[in-house]
Amino acid sequence: RNRSSSLRGRVCDETRRRSTRRDAKTLHPREWCETFVNNSRVVLNPSVFWDGYAVEQSSSGVKIEQMAAMASTSACSGSAAWTSRPSHAAARGVSSRPVGGPPLRSRGTITSTSTIRPISPTVVSAAAANVSAAGATSSSGDDEGDVESLVIIGSGPAGYTAAIYAGRANLRPMMFEGFQAGGVPGGQLMTTTEVENFPGFPEGVTGPDLMDRMRKQSERWGAVMHTEDVETVDFSVRPFVIRSTDRTVRAHAVILATGAVAKRLGIPSEEAYWSRGISACAICDGPSPIFKGAELAVVGGGDTATEEALYLTKYGRHVHLLVRGEHMRASKEMQSRVLSNHQITVHYNTDCMDAVGNSKGFMTGLRLRNRVSGEERELAVKGLFYGIGHTPNSAFFAGQVETDAEGYVVTKDGGAHTSVEGVFSAGDLHDKEWRQAITAAGSGCAAALSAERYLGSKGLLQELDNSKKAAAADSKMAAMGEAGAAMEGAAAVSAAASAAAASTKAAYDADPGSFDLGAVRHRGQFALRKLYHESARVLMVMYSGPSCGPCKRLKPMLDKVLDEYGQDVHFVEIDIEADPEIAEAAGVMGTPCVQVFKNKERVQVLNGVKMKKEYREVLDKALGKEAGGGGVG
């Protein structure tokens, strides 16, 4: 069947007579072509005509002309037995228009003079025969049919770094950032104040800002983000199966970067006073009015506890650091800062036994016990913050990947490889010793490189060129400057559409004269008072803190929800540090907090970050609509 590179091969006269040309794509000489049949990779020889595809190589490139195979059967191709694999190729900018055969994709780089493996008729016949056996499993849906090269579960410095390296390797990784399970998307740094030891930031950077930058860099290199929790995985089959709250995907390789979540103390009254005096996030809840000028306590002796104690001195009158051992475990620098701060008192050998409160349900003090003498006493404090370590987020794959007694993943030879070939670990999920942002980032890099090497060794490497996307992102960033407007696609937004969109943007009221009752989004106490008394719409109020990482995640989510309701809803954001009296009057104990009002009556309070559908359900109920009418997610 092989022909000269200047001639077009023909399979048989029957196909030539009964076929019509449907599509053509010209590839550069450095590209090669492949197709997938029943998950098996088949490489097309540039001088072979096969199953309705005419392939021609010349000095100007390799030309693939897709033919409509009208013949019901062909001794040469067996096209009638073939079924098309559902594919996301179109979304990736790769031609995928099968006619009587599986989709073609361009991959990798070779020179026009390189040897390309021709298709063996035996391989073609065997693959065609196996398609019918695959049956329903290979055509169960578009999402089920495609196989991702690499899926990253988790985010934070480990997950985002893995996504950056995998994206630069043209793997187009899919990332599940997480949502509620295991903490906030972005990891523990989303609840960290100043990060002073991450290279490249001589003046320091806040944890949320660092994670936002890493996330944007991941997207720049082609990572596909899903802010969803992964509920189950199946590493016993290949490709691996990953099921999230909204979708099911398959992948040849997986990087686990789910990190760890803050531990709770487990005292008897913990649930009773949770978010009413007890918290695991000083950066989220510290600015709450109830803690302003009050006596506060932090449990723990490591870097997390000392950092939270120092941060809380901005709001509380005095902070008590309760250390269970004889010494603090924090770094020398952090210990020095704590011991030199006159607003902090360190209590060594101290156990927190329980919390006590008042008739209104708020915590007013702690019962403490000296671990040496056994003496018990009460300490009058209004807030208790935990800084006692973390638990690895490994429960969802328990029993499938080897872990130690505490749930940390066991890696091989100090690298990223786990007990399951093709599954890799990154960050605090296996790091019990260092637990630093920079070491997590380094392990994310190692995991991505290991995954790329694994895929290559198994012949599963499917590279997609992201250089054009990155260049386009750079051009867009330069063109938009600091405005950072989001524009998708090549179509320009008309002046009329821009004007309409502008009316829904946030109206940050610098003075009463700038207030616009017609705008959807507002900020500050003047807008809140004005809308509360004069607006007939449903009113949604979000209370946020200036350094609140979860608040930064919630804002764009609420923007999407608000866009669905147009002029039916008014939205106001209140900074609890700028307007503490408003937050106190509203009974806000922590951020983020969303309250919904109708006809001057508060109908719902949502603390923390919820799924978009939960906010939709509240708004639908307030508007008298059927619940669930806003989509999924």
Side-chain angles (χ1 to χ4, degrees), residues 546-580:
S547 303
C548 172
C551 299
K552 292 189 176 184
R553 289 296 189 201
L554 179 58
K555 289 177 186 177
M557 287 175 54
L558 291 182
D559 278 340
K560 292 180 179 179
V561 172
L562 290 169
D563 288 341
E564 299 171 11
Y565 290 88
Q567 299 295 312
D568 291 338
V569 178
H570 267 133
F571 174 83
V572 182
E573 181 183 351
I574 297 293
D575 184 329
I576 66 171
E577 194 166 328
D579 295 312

Short mmCIF file of all heavy atoms in Angstrom, two decimals, residues 546-580:
data_model
loop_
_atom_site.label_atom_id
_atom_site.label_comp_id
_atom_site.label_asym_id
_atom_site.label_seq_id
_atom_site.Cartn_x
_atom_site.Cartn_y
_atom_site.Cartn_z
N PRO A 546 -10.30 41.87 55.24
CA PRO A 546 -9.28 42.32 54.28
C PRO A 546 -8.25 41.26 53.93
O PRO A 546 -7.67 41.29 52.86
CB PRO A 546 -8.64 43.51 54.99
CG PRO A 546 -8.91 43.30 56.44
CD PRO A 546 -10.23 42.63 56.51
N SER A 547 -8.00 40.32 54.83
CA SER A 547 -6.99 39.27 54.58
C SER A 547 -7.61 37.89 54.50
O SER A 547 -6.92 36.89 54.61
CB SER A 547 -5.94 39.29 55.69
OG SER A 547 -5.32 40.55 55.80
N CYS A 548 -8.91 37.82 54.29
CA CYS A 548 -9.64 36.55 54.31
C CYS A 548 -9.49 35.82 52.97
O CYS A 548 -10.05 36.26 51.96
CB CYS A 548 -11.11 36.81 54.62
SG CYS A 548 -12.17 35.37 54.46
N GLY A 549 -8.74 34.71 52.98
CA GLY A 549 -8.55 33.93 51.77
C GLY A 549 -9.84 33.34 51.23
O GLY A 549 -10.13 33.45 50.04
N PRO A 550 -10.68 32.69 52.08
CA PRO A 550 -11.95 32.17 51.59
C PRO A 550 -12.85 33.24 50.98
O PRO A 550 -13.61 32.96 50.06
CB PRO A 550 -12.58 31.56 52.85
CG PRO A 550 -11.41 31.19 53.71
CD PRO A 550 -10.40 32.27 53.47
N CYS A 551 -12.76 34.47 51.48
CA CYS A 551 -13.56 35.55 50.91
C CYS A 551 -13.18 35.80 49.46
O CYS A 551 -14.04 36.07 48.61
CB CYS A 551 -13.38 36.84 51.72
SG CYS A 551 -13.89 36.71 53.45
N LYS A 552 -11.89 35.70 49.17
CA LYS A 552 -11.44 35.93 47.80
C LYS A 552 -11.95 34.84 46.87
O LYS A 552 -12.17 35.09 45.67
CB LYS A 552 -9.91 35.98 47.76
CG LYS A 552 -9.32 37.20 48.46
CD LYS A 552 -7.83 37.33 48.21
CE LYS A 552 -7.29 38.60 48.84
NZ LYS A 552 -5.85 38.80 48.53
N ARG A 553 -12.14 33.64 47.38
CA ARG A 553 -12.70 32.56 46.57
C ARG A 553 -14.21 32.74 46.38
O ARG A 553 -14.78 32.40 45.34
CB ARG A 553 -12.44 31.21 47.23
CG ARG A 553 -11.00 30.77 47.20
CD ARG A 553 -10.52 30.55 45.80
NE ARG A 553 -9.21 29.95 45.76
CZ ARG A 553 -8.40 30.00 44.73
NH1 ARG A 553 -8.76 30.66 43.64
NH2 ARG A 553 -7.22 29.42 44.76
N LEU A 554 -14.87 33.27 47.40
CA LEU A 554 -16.32 33.39 47.36
C LEU A 554 -16.79 34.52 46.42
O LEU A 554 -17.81 34.38 45.74
CB LEU A 554 -16.87 33.62 48.77
CG LEU A 554 -18.39 33.79 48.89
CD1 LEU A 554 -19.12 32.57 48.32
CD2 LEU A 554 -18.79 34.01 50.35
N LYS A 555 -16.05 35.62 46.37
CA LYS A 555 -16.50 36.78 45.58
C LYS A 555 -16.78 36.44 44.12
O LYS A 555 -17.86 36.77 43.61
CB LYS A 555 -15.46 37.91 45.68
CG LYS A 555 -15.43 38.57 47.04
CD LYS A 555 -14.32 39.62 47.10
CE LYS A 555 -14.18 40.19 48.50
NZ LYS A 555 -13.06 41.15 48.59
N PRO A 556 -15.86 35.80 43.40
CA PRO A 556 -16.18 35.47 42.00
C PRO A 556 -17.31 34.47 41.86
O PRO A 556 -18.05 34.49 40.87
CB PRO A 556 -14.86 34.89 41.45
CG PRO A 556 -14.07 34.49 42.66
CD PRO A 556 -14.46 35.44 43.74
N MET A 557 -17.49 33.60 42.85
CA MET A 557 -18.61 32.66 42.82
C MET A 557 -19.93 33.42 42.91
O MET A 557 -20.87 33.15 42.14
CB MET A 557 -18.50 31.66 43.97
CG MET A 557 -17.41 30.62 43.79
SD MET A 557 -17.26 29.57 45.26
CE MET A 557 -18.95 28.99 45.44
N LEU A 558 -20.01 34.37 43.83
CA LEU A 558 -21.24 35.14 43.99
C LEU A 558 -21.48 36.02 42.77
O LEU A 558 -22.64 36.26 42.40
CB LEU A 558 -21.16 36.00 45.26
CG LEU A 558 -21.21 35.24 46.59
CD1 LEU A 558 -21.17 36.20 47.77
CD2 LEU A 558 -22.46 34.36 46.67
N ASP A 559 -20.42 36.51 42.13
CA ASP A 559 -20.58 37.30 40.91
C ASP A 559 -21.32 36.49 39.85
O ASP A 559 -22.21 37.00 39.16
CB ASP A 559 -19.22 37.76 40.37
CG ASP A 559 -18.71 39.00 41.09
OD1 ASP A 559 -19.53 39.70 41.70
OD2 ASP A 559 -17.50 39.25 41.04
N LYS A 560 -20.93 35.22 39.70
CA LYS A 560 -21.58 34.37 38.71
C LYS A 560 -23.05 34.13 39.06
O LYS A 560 -23.91 34.11 38.19
CB LYS A 560 -20.84 33.04 38.60
CG LYS A 560 -19.45 33.17 38.00
CD LYS A 560 -18.76 31.82 37.90
CE LYS A 560 -17.37 31.95 37.29
NZ LYS A 560 -16.66 30.64 37.21
N VAL A 561 -23.31 33.93 40.34
CA VAL A 561 -24.69 33.72 40.77
C VAL A 561 -25.52 34.98 40.52
O VAL A 561 -26.64 34.91 39.99
CB VAL A 561 -24.74 33.33 42.26
CG1 VAL A 561 -26.18 33.30 42.76
CG2 VAL A 561 -24.08 31.98 42.48
N LEU A 562 -24.98 36.14 40.87
CA LEU A 562 -25.71 37.40 40.71
C LEU A 562 -26.01 37.68 39.24
O LEU A 562 -27.07 38.24 38.91
CB LEU A 562 -24.91 38.55 41.31
CG LEU A 562 -24.80 38.56 42.84
CD1 LEU A 562 -23.78 39.57 43.30
CD2 LEU A 562 -26.16 38.86 43.47
N ASP A 563 -25.09 37.31 38.35
CA ASP A 563 -25.32 37.53 36.92
C ASP A 563 -26.57 36.82 36.42
O ASP A 563 -27.18 37.24 35.44
CB ASP A 563 -24.10 37.06 36.11
CG ASP A 563 -22.91 38.00 36.27
OD1 ASP A 563 -23.12 39.15 36.69
OD2 ASP A 563 -21.78 37.57 35.99
N GLU A 564 -26.96 35.74 37.09
CA GLU A 564 -28.12 34.97 36.67
C GLU A 564 -29.44 35.63 37.06
O GLU A 564 -30.49 35.29 36.52
CB GLU A 564 -28.07 33.56 37.28
CG GLU A 564 -26.84 32.76 36.86
CD GLU A 564 -26.71 31.47 37.65
OE1 GLU A 564 -27.68 31.12 38.35
OE2 GLU A 564 -25.64 30.81 37.58
N TYR A 565 -29.37 36.59 38.00
CA TYR A 565 -30.61 37.17 38.53
C TYR A 565 -30.84 38.60 38.08
O TYR A 565 -31.88 39.19 38.38
CB TYR A 565 -30.60 37.09 40.06
CG TYR A 565 -30.74 35.67 40.56
CD1 TYR A 565 -29.63 34.87 40.75
CD2 TYR A 565 -32.00 35.13 40.81
CE1 TYR A 565 -29.75 33.55 41.19
CE2 TYR A 565 -32.14 33.82 41.26
CZ TYR A 565 -31.01 33.03 41.43
OH TYR A 565 -31.14 31.73 41.87
N GLY A 566 -29.86 39.17 37.36
CA GLY A 566 -30.06 40.50 36.78
C GLY A 566 -30.47 41.54 37.81
O GLY A 566 -29.81 41.73 38.83
N GLN A 567 -31.61 42.20 37.54
CA GLN A 567 -32.09 43.30 38.37
C GLN A 567 -33.01 42.85 39.51
O GLN A 567 -33.67 43.67 40.14
CB GLN A 567 -32.82 44.33 37.50
CG GLN A 567 -31.96 44.95 36.41
CD GLN A 567 -30.84 45.79 36.99
OE1 GLN A 567 -31.07 46.61 37.88
NE2 GLN A 567 -29.62 45.59 36.51
N ASP A 568 -33.03 41.55 39.78
CA ASP A 568 -33.91 41.04 40.86
C ASP A 568 -33.25 41.12 42.23
O ASP A 568 -33.93 41.00 43.26
CB ASP A 568 -34.30 39.58 40.59
CG ASP A 568 -35.23 39.46 39.39
OD1 ASP A 568 -35.87 40.46 39.05
OD2 ASP A 568 -35.28 38.36 38.80
N VAL A 569 -31.93 41.30 42.25
CA VAL A 569 -31.20 41.23 43.51
C VAL A 569 -30.25 42.42 43.64
O VAL A 569 -29.65 42.85 42.64
CB VAL A 569 -30.40 39.91 43.60
CG1 VAL A 569 -29.58 39.85 44.90
CG2 VAL A 569 -31.32 38.71 43.50
N HIS A 570 -30.13 42.95 44.84
CA HIS A 570 -29.09 43.92 45.18
C HIS A 570 -28.03 43.21 46.03
O HIS A 570 -28.37 42.38 46.87
CB HIS A 570 -29.66 45.10 45.96
CG HIS A 570 -30.06 46.25 45.08
ND1 HIS A 570 -31.27 46.89 45.21
CD2 HIS A 570 -29.41 46.86 44.06
CE1 HIS A 570 -31.36 47.86 44.30
NE2 HIS A 570 -30.24 47.84 43.60
N PHE A 571 -26.78 43.58 45.83
CA PHE A 571 -25.67 42.97 46.56
C PHE A 571 -24.82 44.06 47.21
O PHE A 571 -24.50 45.06 46.57
CB PHE A 571 -24.80 42.14 45.62
CG PHE A 571 -23.55 41.59 46.26
CD1 PHE A 571 -23.59 40.42 47.01
CD2 PHE A 571 -22.33 42.25 46.12
CE1 PHE A 571 -22.44 39.91 47.60
CE2 PHE A 571 -21.18 41.74 46.70
CZ PHE A 571 -21.23 40.57 47.44
N VAL A 572 -24.47 43.84 48.48
CA VAL A 572 -23.60 44.78 49.20
C VAL A 572 -22.50 43.99 49.89
O VAL A 572 -22.77 42.98 50.55
CB VAL A 572 -24.37 45.60 50.26
CG1 VAL A 572 -23.44 46.60 50.95
CG2 VAL A 572 -25.54 46.33 49.63
N GLU A 573 -21.28 44.46 49.75
CA GLU A 573 -20.16 43.86 50.47
C GLU A 573 -19.75 44.77 51.62
O GLU A 573 -19.58 45.99 51.43
CB GLU A 573 -18.96 43.65 49.55
CG GLU A 573 -17.78 42.99 50.26
CD GLU A 573 -16.56 42.84 49.37
OE1 GLU A 573 -16.67 43.08 48.15
OE2 GLU A 573 -15.49 42.48 49.91
N ILE A 574 -19.60 44.19 52.80
CA ILE A 574 -19.22 44.94 53.99
C ILE A 574 -17.88 44.40 54.49
O ILE A 574 -17.74 43.21 54.77
CB ILE A 574 -20.27 44.80 55.12
CG1 ILE A 574 -21.61 45.39 54.67
CG2 ILE A 574 -19.78 45.46 56.40
CD1 ILE A 574 -21.60 46.89 54.47
N ASP A 575 -16.90 45.28 54.57
CA ASP A 575 -15.60 44.94 55.16
C ASP A 575 -15.74 45.09 56.67
O ASP A 575 -15.95 46.20 57.18
CB ASP A 575 -14.52 45.89 54.61
CG ASP A 575 -13.13 45.53 55.10
OD1 ASP A 575 -12.99 45.01 56.23
OD2 ASP A 575 -12.16 45.78 54.36
N ILE A 576 -15.62 43.97 57.40
CA ILE A 576 -15.89 44.03 58.84
C ILE A 576 -14.83 44.83 59.59
O ILE A 576 -15.07 45.26 60.73
CB ILE A 576 -16.00 42.61 59.44
CG1 ILE A 576 -14.66 41.87 59.37
CG2 ILE A 576 -17.09 41.81 58.75
CD1 ILE A 576 -14.66 40.57 60.14
N GLU A 577 -13.68 45.05 58.97
CA GLU A 577 -12.67 45.88 59.62
C GLU A 577 -12.95 47.37 59.38
O GLU A 577 -12.72 48.20 60.26
CB GLU A 577 -11.28 45.51 59.10
CG GLU A 577 -10.16 46.06 59.96
CD GLU A 577 -8.81 45.42 59.65
OE1 GLU A 577 -8.80 44.24 59.28
OE2 GLU A 577 -7.80 46.11 59.79
N ALA A 578 -13.47 47.69 58.19
CA ALA A 578 -13.80 49.09 57.89
C ALA A 578 -15.11 49.51 58.54
O ALA A 578 -15.27 50.67 58.92
CB ALA A 578 -13.87 49.28 56.38
N ASP A 579 -16.06 48.57 58.64
CA ASP A 579 -17.37 48.86 59.23
C ASP A 579 -17.68 47.89 60.35
O ASP A 579 -18.62 47.08 60.27
CB ASP A 579 -18.46 48.78 58.15
CG ASP A 579 -18.31 49.84 57.08
OD1 ASP A 579 -18.12 51.01 57.43
OD2 ASP A 579 -18.37 49.49 55.89
N PRO A 580 -16.91 47.93 61.44
CA PRO A 580 -17.10 46.94 62.52
C PRO A 580 -18.45 47.04 63.21
O PRO A 580 -18.99 46.03 63.66
CB PRO A 580 -15.94 47.24 63.48
CG PRO A 580 -15.59 48.68 63.21
CD PRO A 580 -15.83 48.88 61.75
#
